[in-house]
Amino acid sequence: MDFNQTFRERTKDFSIAIIKSLSSLPYADDIAVIRKQIIRSSTSVAANYRAMSRARSEKERFAKICIVVEEIDETQLWLEIIEELEYLDSEKILLLKSECDELVKVMTKYKFTLSQK
């Protein structure tokens, strides 16, 4: 499997894991706002990574990876907030944060690599 296919699947799987983890939380105004924001940012990572892998030009590819990096960073923020508010059990949040951290590193490195072309 190639790099793009691997990360198309990983970003999609990550957004699904976020959705599943937060959908079980009870309704409350604060949780609803956070749930909406993190679902939006995590699914944006997957959607924009997918668009980036089919870009028509290097300029378009770079623009999309910039969005991916911005959205995965935002997702990381929401996970930190969720952790500090103790909305999810520590094992679940640790798994999500670990995958998010890896995605931040990979996408940031990929963005840097594209900027050098």
Side-chain angles (χ1 to χ4, degrees), residues 2 12 18 21 32 57 59 62 65-66 69 79 85 89 101 109-110 113:
D2 72 13
K12 182 179 73 172
I18 293 280
S21 297
S57 68
K59 232 177 159 176
F62 185 73
I65 197 67
C66 287
V69 169
L79 286 171
L85 292 172
D89 68 74
D101 291 347
K109 174 71 174 155
Y110 193 29
T113 301

Side-chain angles (χ1 to χ4, degrees), residues 43-110:
T43 56
S44 179
V45 170
N48 280 290
Y49 188 84
R50 188 178 192 102
M52 187 274 317
S53 68
R54 297 198 187 277
R56 294 166 288 194
S57 68
E58 287 304 311
K59 232 177 159 176
E60 183 180 5
R61 182 177 310 280
F62 185 73
K64 291 293 183 185
I65 197 67
C66 287
I67 295 169
V68 170
V69 169
E70 182 180 334
E71 295 293 338
I72 195 67
D73 183 63
E74 181 180 337
T75 302
Q76 194 172 43
L77 167 70
W78 292 118
L79 286 171
E80 291 167 6
I81 290 170
I82 290 166
E83 180 180 41
E84 289 179 31
L85 292 172
E86 300 177 345
Y87 286 159
L88 294 175
D89 68 74
S90 57
E91 186 177 320
K92 187 59 164 173
I93 196 72
L94 184 62
L95 290 171
L96 292 172
K97 283 183 65 184
S98 176
E99 178 64 358
C100 190
D101 291 347
E102 284 188 41
L103 290 172
V104 166
K105 288 175 189 172
V106 170
M107 298 307 159
T108 302
K109 174 71 174 155
Y110 193 29

Side-chain angles (χ1 to χ4, degrees), residues 7-28:
F7 282 92
R8 282 168 58 114
E9 289 181 19
R10 275 184 73 175
T11 56
K12 182 179 73 172
D13 292 346
F14 178 66
S15 64
I16 290 169
I18 293 280
I19 293 166
K20 286 182 175 180
S21 297
L22 294 169
S23 64
S24 63
L25 295 177
Y27 180 84

